[in-house]
Amino acid sequence: MARIRSVGSFDRRILVMTSLAGGAKHGYALIKDIEEFSGVTLGPGTLYGCLTQLEEDGFVEALSEEKRRRPFRLTEEGRAALRAALVQSAEISTAGLMRLSGAAG
């Protein structure tokens, strides 16, 4: 199956927040989880840059360091933002799939 491998900054944010919706994770666990559910591999620099932006926006928060690892978790504001983005994505997906099948037009 053909997949689009490149993801933009908005997509990276959604991938990270989706991973954190399943529970708090540190960087390596985030990279592996995102790769598992999406097939997209984020490098450490990309991941931590994204986490910094999400933290500045109030969507994620860093937890206390554990064994030299700093886990992050989704905030309530982040959950609401992720839900809204996923609903919008689902609407776009539905419209796109209908158009591909010839149902709309």
Side-chain angles (χ1 to χ4, degrees):
M1 167 157 80
R3 288 184 90 153
I4 299 172
R5 289 287 182 183
S6 176
V7 294
S9 63
F10 174 78
D11 298 324
R12 289 189 294 266
R13 292 166 58 98
I14 297 303
L15 290 172
V16 171
M17 292 187 345
T18 297
S19 180
L20 292 175
K25 294 176 189 67
H26 57 77
Y28 181 76
L30 277 163
I31 289 171
K32 288 300 174 189
D33 185 48
I34 290 167
E35 190 174 310
E36 185 177 303
F37 75 76
S38 71
V40 174
T41 302
L42 297 181
T46 300
L47 173 67
Y48 284 104
C50 184
L51 283 167
T52 297
Q53 290 174 344
L54 289 168
E55 195 171 17
E56 288 172 359
D57 291 343
F59 295 157
V60 304
E61 61 186 355
L63 302 175
S64 299
E65 194 171 297
E66 301 171 357
K67 297 181 184 178
R68 297 183 354 202
R69 294 180 176 164
R70 187 171 63 152
F72 290 83
R73 73 174 165 203
L74 203 55
T75 64
E76 286 305 312
E77 187 177 353
R79 286 186 178 285
L82 177 59
R83 183 176 310 282
L86 292 175
V87 166
Q88 182 182 31
S89 272
E91 291 169 354
I92 292 168
S93 292
T94 298
L97 290 168
M98 287 177 59
R99 288 175 184 204
L100 282 171
S101 71

